[in-house]
Structure formats: C-alpha cells, structure tokens
Amino acid sequence: AQKITQTQPGMFVQEKEAVTLDCTYDTSDQSYGLFWYKQPSSGEMIFLIYQGSYDEQNATEGRYSLNFQKARKSANLVISASQLGDSAMYFCAMRELNAGGTSYGKLTFGQGTILTVHP
Amino acid sequence: GAGVSQSPSNKVTEKGKDVELRCDPISGHTALYWYRQSLGQGLEFLIYFQGNSAPDKSGLPSDRFSAERTGGSVSTLTIQRTQQEDSAVYLCASSLAGGFFGPGTRLTVL
C-alpha cells in the first residue's frame, strides 16, 4: 500500500486565492512526522512545514498551514494568498519510527502535485 | 556553510565508469539521507544514516550502489559500472527531525 498518497497530479489557482493540496498517509505508528516540501523548476527541495503526530494544533508557517486530521490520516497543505512564485511541485512526506521503534527512519514521499498559479 | 552542500553539481560520465557523489550535511545533524529523482518524477529513497546505527540500505537499487558516512558527517555515494538508467538527480538531505536538502548532483551517463 502507498504510504503517502497525493491524489492531485496538478492544481490551478488564481493569484491571491487560497489553495489546498491533498495528502493522505498510511501508518500504524502512533509517533510520526509529516512534512511538506516545495520544488520549483530550479530543482531545489525547500522545506515548508512540519507536523508531529502528537501536535494538537495545526502547524502554520507564514502563508502555509497544515490541515492535520489524524483520524482521517490526512495532512493537507493550505497556501493562502497564492503568489506567482508559488508555482512549483509540492511533495508531502512522512517519517515513521524505524523497525526497532528506537528512532525515526527514512522520509517517504508522495508523488507530488504540480501547482500552477495564474495571474 | 549554513546548508547541505553537494558536489559535484553536475557529472557526466561514460557508461561503465565509477562515480562518487559527495554530501556535506548541516553540522550537528545526526540523520543523513540519499534520494534520487528522475526527470519529472518523485523522490526514490536510496539509503539513510542515523547516528551510529546501521544504515538503512533498503532503497539501493543494486549492488553497484554503496554509500558511507565518515565520522558521522560527510557522506559519499558511489555508483560502480554506471548504466544509462542511473542518470538522475541525486539529492542528499540531513536532519535532526525533518530534512533539509542539498542542491543535488545531476548525473548523466552517456
């Protein structure tokens, strides 16, 4: 089964509007972390926001917020007031405990969503 | 430096040659990851180092691929007898909890 599912291959949004990028995950761990990254056409991977599984409040970083719904295993990224520079590929990722349960293991990524912001 | 650095930024090699890719993580970060990304695709996990624990090598695609991390800091990914399908961008990330990525090495095997 896919660990991280991003069901939207592409999304379009008008400049200055908000957009939600979907992410669902699959884990049996109680402790895990969820991440969103932005990859513009330049190719760099830019860390945007992090949500821990025990965090009771949704994470926010400037115009980015993470809509964390633990029971539904979803961690959608909300970008408010979209800007042309937000056009990029966006990846959702999860970090679970390793097999021994003693530390966190690798980051597992979804397939990404291409966001295009129209003027 | 403040971020993760990788070298070289670009590498063009002939099929059958060996290549070494280097990653300098952020100082103090205990975790280091290698991923690769083919054009327009997602990230494929290769290997993960966490402190002094045995690395998670479950993503290495063949025995031509190996990686080491010396002194808990710098890491080198080695690809022996390169094949054309090895052409990709190789990304390194380091973290304490999350992951901060380097700029990548674009490998082209002719």
Side-chain angles (χ1 to χ4, degrees), chain A residues 35 37 39 42-47 50 89 91 95 98 102-112, chain B residues 31 33 35 37 40-43 45 48 50 53 56 58 91 93 95-103:
Chain A
F35 305 81
Y37 290 86
Q39 188 176 44
S42 58
E44 61 192 304
M45 288 285 286
I46 303 168
F47 167 74
Y50 166 80
M89 175 79 90
F91 290 99
R95 192 177 182 196
N98 64 11
T102 56
S103 66
Y104 284 107
K106 64 182 183 283
L107 277 169
T108 302
F109 286 82
Q111 286 303 105
Chain B
Y33 317 77
Y35 291 84
Q37 186 178 31
Q41 301 298 310
L43 278 77
F45 167 73
Y48 165 60
Q50 173 63 57
S53 302
D56 178 353
S58 61
L91 292 161
S95 80
L96 290 174
F100 294 92
F101 280 80

Side-chain angles (χ1 to χ4, degrees), chain A residues 49-114:
Chain A
I49 196 167
Y50 166 80
Q51 179 86 42
S53 59
Y54 289 115
D55 294 340
E56 294 185 352
Q57 293 197 341
N58 287 343
T60 61
E61 288 287 346
R63 294 185 299 110
Y64 304 108
S65 60
L66 201 152
N67 183 4
F68 181 45
Q69 298 188 39
K70 194 170 182 177
R72 298 179 59 184
K73 294 187 177 178
S74 75
N76 299 340
L77 177 70
V78 180
I79 306 174
S80 63
S82 297
Q83 302 173 356
L84 296 178
D86 294 335
S87 293
M89 175 79 90
Y90 288 81
F91 290 99
C92 179
M94 177 173 65
R95 192 177 182 196
E96 300 171 281
L97 291 173
N98 64 11
T102 56
S103 66
Y104 284 107
K106 64 182 183 283
L107 277 169
T108 302
F109 286 82
Q111 286 303 105
T113 296
I114 299 176

Side-chain angles (χ1 to χ4, degrees), chain B residues 24-48:
Chain B
D24 284 87
I26 295 172
S27 178
H29 280 192
T30 57
L32 187 147
Y33 317 77
W34 283 98
Y35 291 84
R36 72 176 175 181
Q37 186 178 31
S38 300
L39 188 63
Q41 301 298 310
L43 278 77
E44 177 188 2
F45 167 73
L46 296 177
I47 188 169
Y48 165 60

Side-chain angles (χ1 to χ4, degrees), chain B residues 20-98:
Chain B
E20 283 190 353
L21 312 180
R22 177 187 168 107
C23 173
D24 284 87
I26 295 172
S27 178
H29 280 192
T30 57
L32 187 147
Y33 317 77
W34 283 98
Y35 291 84
R36 72 176 175 181
Q37 186 178 31
S38 300
L39 188 63
Q41 301 298 310
L43 278 77
E44 177 188 2
F45 167 73
L46 296 177
I47 188 169
Y48 165 60
F49 297 90
Q50 173 63 57
N52 296 321
S53 302
D56 178 353
K57 304 180 182 179
S58 61
L60 295 178
S62 76
D63 58 7
R64 296 186 296 105
F65 288 73
S66 63
E68 61 177 23
R69 187 178 186 193
T70 54
S73 182
V74 172
S75 178
T76 302
L77 177 68
T78 302
I79 309 173
Q80 296 178 310
R81 305 181 301 282
T82 52
Q83 304 294 313
Q84 288 182 332
E85 59 263 29
D86 299 335
S87 297
V89 175
Y90 288 80
L91 292 161
C92 173
S94 74
S95 80
L96 290 174

